[in-house]
Amino acid sequence: KEDCWLQLPEITKDVDTFYIYSTLYVESSFEKGAPDYATLETPEMVMGAMGEYVTNASVYEDSTNVFVPYYRQAGMRYAGEVAEKNGDIDAALSGISYEDIKAALDYYFENYNNGRPFIIAGHSQGSAMVKYVLKNYFKEHPDYYERMIAAYAIGYSITKEDLEEYPYFKFATGESDTGVIV
C-alpha cells in the first residue's frame, strides 16, 4: 500500500536508494501498556521518520530516487529488555521489523526498481536492518545483490565474525568498488 511508504519518488534518476530510518519509537515505547513494536501509525515514529528523511535520507535525492518504507520497529524499552535477557538486541530486531523490511524490498524490486542499480542505506536500527538484508535477503535474492552499488550501515557494528561468515559482507577498499559496505 502506498500509505506504508514515507517516500515513493517519481523516477527521474538511473539509480535508487532504499533508506531505512533509525530507532524512532523511543519515549512512547516506555508508556504503560505500549506495544513492543511500533505500529505504522505510531505518531512518534512517523514524525521522527519524516524528520530523519529531511536530515539523512534527502542527501541521496540529488543523485538517486529515494524510497523509504515505514516498518514496525522495535521500541527502545523492548529492545533493552531483550538485550538484558539475551546479551544483544538481535532477537528484537530480526523478527517483525526485518519481516516488514523484507516485504518492502520484495515490493520495491517487483514494482519499482525495474533493474536499476541501487544503494541500501540505514542508520542505527535501520543499519541493523541493512545488516539483516546483507545477511539474509541477498542470500535468497543474489540477482538483486548483483545490482547493489553499496550498503551504508551507519550506527550498527559489522564484526570480524560477520565478515568471515557472510559472503555479502565486504568493505569497500576503493571508490569504484560495488556490492560493498561503506
Side-chain angles (χ1 to χ4, degrees):
K1 296 180 182 179
E2 283 190 20
D3 60 347
C4 292
W5 294 82
L6 169 62
Q7 173 71 11
L8 285 172
E10 178 182 341
I11 306 304
T12 59
K13 313 281 188 324
D14 294 332
V15 176
D16 295 342
T17 296
F18 189 94
Y19 186 85
I20 310 167
Y21 51 81
S22 65
T23 306
L24 302 167
Y25 180 43
V26 180
E27 297 293 329
S28 61
S29 77
F30 289 95
E31 293 174 2
K32 185 176 179 165
D36 294 340
Y37 294 88
T39 67
L40 298 184
E41 300 83 28
T42 301
E44 178 181 27
M45 187 187 71
V46 171
M47 294 302 293
M50 289 177 190
E52 186 167 321
Y53 180 84
V54 171
T55 60
N56 294 13
S58 65
V59 301
Y60 299 96
E61 284 182 339
D62 286 344
S63 303
T64 71
N65 309 300
V66 181
F67 293 82
V68 183
Y70 287 116
Y71 69 102
R72 294 172 292 173
Q73 62 178 213
M76 284 299 287
R77 175 198 47 81
Y78 179 63
E81 290 170 358
V82 169
E84 194 171 298
K85 182 178 177 184
N86 299 334
D88 62 45
I89 64 171
D90 281 353
L93 304 180
S94 63
I96 291 171
S97 301
Y98 174 67
E99 290 301 317
D100 282 0
I101 293 302
K102 182 178 169 183
L105 280 165
D106 286 345
Y107 193 79
Y108 159 74
F109 283 117
E110 292 167 13
N111 296 282
Y112 294 114
N113 178 259
N114 294 318
R116 286 185 301 279
F118 65 94
I119 294 166
I120 185 166
H123 180 258
S124 186
Q125 188 169 159
S127 293
M129 295 300 110
V130 169
K131 184 176 176 178
Y132 293 128
V133 169
L134 291 171
K135 191 161 111 175
N136 302 308
Y137 189 81
F138 289 137
K139 184 169 40 173
E140 297 172 22
H141 302 284
D143 52 322
Y144 298 153
Y145 172 76
E146 290 175 15
R147 295 195 312 267
M148 186 183 85
I149 297 168
Y152 289 84
I154 310 301
Y156 203 80
S157 62
I158 304 294
T159 67
K160 184 176 181 180
E161 291 79 19
D162 292 331
L163 295 170
E164 292 168 358
E165 186 173 349
Y166 302 106
Y168 301 115
F169 283 52
K170 55 187 174 189
F171 286 114
T173 59
E175 67 275 0
S176 61
D177 292 348
T178 60
V180 295
I181 300 169
V182 177

